[in-house]
Amino acid sequence: MNSVQPIPVVVLAGFLGSGKTTLLNHLLGNRGGTRIGVVVNDFGSIEIDAMSVAGQVGDSMVSLGGGCLCCAVDGSELDAYLDKLAAPVHRIDVIVIEASGLAEPQEMVKMLIANENPAIRYGGLVQVVDAAEFDRTRAAHPETDRHLSVADLVVLNKTDRVDPAERARIEGEIASLCAPGTPLVGADHGRIDPELLFDRRPWTETRGQLSFEDLIAEAADAADADSDAGDDGHDAHADHAHARYESVGFTSDQALSPRRFIDFLDRRPAGLYRIKGFVWFGVPGHQERYEVHAVGRFLRFTPGPWGRGERRRTQLVLIGSGTDGPGLLRELDACREESPGQAPPESMWGVLRYVAAADRGDEPAAEDGTPAQEAQARDA
């Protein structure tokens, strides 16, 4: 666990059968050395397919060799389990909550935003949609429309089960139901790039026996081999998630204008799934280093001190699909501020709307008078 920065908590939602568990297993099997805490919000006994390699997961918390903690809980237990997962002894880097197929994701988001544990922070809502069952799901569960409207990132799963024309129609329907600019990622078998949600760390731990990561990877390789054998020469790896995303890096030793940077974020294209890094604004009274984290529509700034001797600069990584990399860099270049020391303090208000109340102190409330943390909960 990072002892300084709070742990992001990502909510993975979607109706029964949409592929949440498959996607979660994919994240677990492709996380490198990242230590993931998993909360499964379900009722009764559960079994996560890939975890059967290391042992069935029941109703109690278990600790697996790779540092993955899993628990089956109801909503009333959520805060207590998050507190346990955030304990420094577990060294967790990210927490993923797999919501029940019948859960109300908006309520889970509100619970996380209202959580007062400074060791965790809300990290975005990912809504998983079954492409093959989309119409039937909407007919049986009208609340689908509401769930899509609050998503930060939508994963259209099982795209291999629909033809291109049908997929295009479904993507158009989803776009009309989501908030403008909500990213939509296509996937089959839940295979998305984990970097869209969290940073993968290098594996540094070695053991005398197979680790949890080794076991999952071994099982996944065997499954891929079986699948490839029947593909008549088709290269399955050509369709892997990492082949569909682009990454752009931006560095500036010159401070950025908070107003122009917020305007850039407000206008970011739908294909830009994730933004991470640190921003230097240099506005009087706001000389801190601002960590920025965006997953889909979700956006959060976290101010923090610079390291001793650390150069004041902005360093960003932008991950997306179908985006104009050079165009994004030009827009970021236009955000540079020649005289940050002359910028008025109110120029930071747009940024401060996305700073948690605990980090914001006595800074101004949102434009409508609502504290920023409550505004995010309301708008979710």
Side-chain angles (χ1 to χ4, degrees):
M1 168 184 167
N2 186 323
S3 61
V4 177
Q5 297 297 336
I7 303 169
V9 181
V10 178
V11 177
L12 190 61
F15 284 106
L16 296 168
S18 60
K20 299 188 302 298
T21 299
T22 302
L23 192 154
L24 175 58
N25 289 336
H26 173 75
L27 295 178
L28 291 172
N30 294 272
R31 58 182 167 156
T34 301
R35 298 176 72 90
I36 306 177
V38 179
V39 177
V40 179
N41 174 219
D42 214 329
F43 301 95
S45 298
I46 62 168
E47 179 179 348
I48 299 180
D49 296 340
M51 291 181 183
S52 63
V53 176
Q56 182 170 324
V57 178
D59 290 333
S60 60
M61 178 181 290
V62 296
S63 178
L64 301 175
C68 176
L69 303 178
C70 304
C71 32
V73 302
D74 60 34
S76 64
E77 299 171 337
L78 183 58
D79 285 349
Y81 275 110
L82 290 176
D83 290 345
K84 291 181 180 179
L85 289 171
V89 67
H90 299 310
R91 297 185 292 119
I92 294 297
D93 298 304
V94 62
I95 298 172
V96 179
I97 299 178
E98 182 187 348
S100 162
L102 301 178
E104 281 292 338
Q106 182 173 355
E107 297 306 312
M108 299 193 74
V109 170
K110 288 181 177 179
M111 290 172 62
L112 289 171
I113 292 177
N115 189 291
E116 297 181 353
N117 186 343
I120 65 171
R121 62 172 169 79
Y122 172 58
L125 169 64
V126 180
Q127 187 75 22
V128 183
V129 175
D130 183 340
E133 298 292 331
F134 178 67
D135 292 329
R136 283 185 285 271
T137 299
R138 283 189 73 195
H141 302 282
E143 61 270 30
T144 298
D145 294 7
R146 183 175 69 253
H147 295 178
L148 286 169
S149 72
V150 300
D152 296 304
L153 175 67
V154 177
V155 176
L156 182 61
N157 196 28
K158 306 183 185 180
T159 54
D160 55 315
R161 296 179 54 190
V162 296
D163 61 40
E166 179 69 358
R167 174 176 174 175
R169 181 190 68 81
I170 294 170
E171 288 177 342
E173 290 277 349
I174 291 174
S176 70
L177 297 170
C178 292
T182 302
L184 174 62
V185 181
D188 60 83
H189 300 90
R191 292 180 293 198
I192 67 169
D193 192 336
E195 291 283 347
L196 296 181
L197 304 180
F198 56 80
D199 295 331
R200 282 180 289 187
R201 305 182 188 280
W203 291 0
T204 57
E205 299 180 28
T206 58
R207 298 179 176 83
Q209 58 183 358
L210 286 177
S211 69
F212 181 52
E213 288 97 335
D214 293 330
L215 291 167
I216 289 182
E218 186 178 85
D221 289 343
D224 284 344
D226 290 342
S227 175
D228 293 346
D231 280 342
D232 215 10
H234 174 66
D235 181 7
H237 294 282
D239 297 326
H240 283 187
H242 63 77
R244 300 196 292 269
Y245 305 121
E246 304 94 39
S247 177
V248 176
F250 173 78
T251 300
S252 174
D253 290 324
Q254 189 173 338
L256 300 191
S257 162
R259 286 175 171 164
R260 290 198 292 274
F261 187 57
I262 284 292
D263 183 57
F264 164 79
L265 294 174
D266 286 342
R267 295 182 292 100
R268 62 189 186 273
L272 184 55
Y273 305 132
R274 189 175 182 217
I275 303 173
K276 58 182 179 178
F278 301 95
V279 185
W280 162 235
F281 293 117
V283 175
H286 302 280
Q287 301 287 338
E288 305 97 326
R289 182 182 72 169
Y290 281 80
E291 179 188 14
V292 60
H293 171 79
V295 173
R297 292 171 53 230
F298 173 75
L299 175 64
R300 170 62 58 82
F301 285 95
T302 304
W306 296 92
R308 179 176 299 180
E310 184 177 0
R311 179 187 299 181
R312 274 50 173 170
R313 68 192 319 189
T314 293
Q315 293 179 289
L316 298 172
V317 174
L318 300 89
I319 302 173
S321 176
T323 53
D324 177 7
L328 292 174
L329 292 178
R330 286 194 297 270
E331 290 190 58
L332 286 170
D333 277 333
C335 293
R336 299 179 195 266
E337 178 59 64
E338 292 185 3
S339 304
Q342 299 178 16
E346 56 267 27
S347 67
M348 286 291 295
W349 286 3
V351 172
L352 295 174
R353 285 178 60 87
Y354 298 100
V355 173
D359 297 320
R360 197 178 62 248
D362 295 324
E363 297 295 346
E367 292 176 2
D368 61 358
T370 306
Q373 189 175 23
E374 294 179 15
Q376 288 181 25
R378 177 203 63 205
D379 294 341

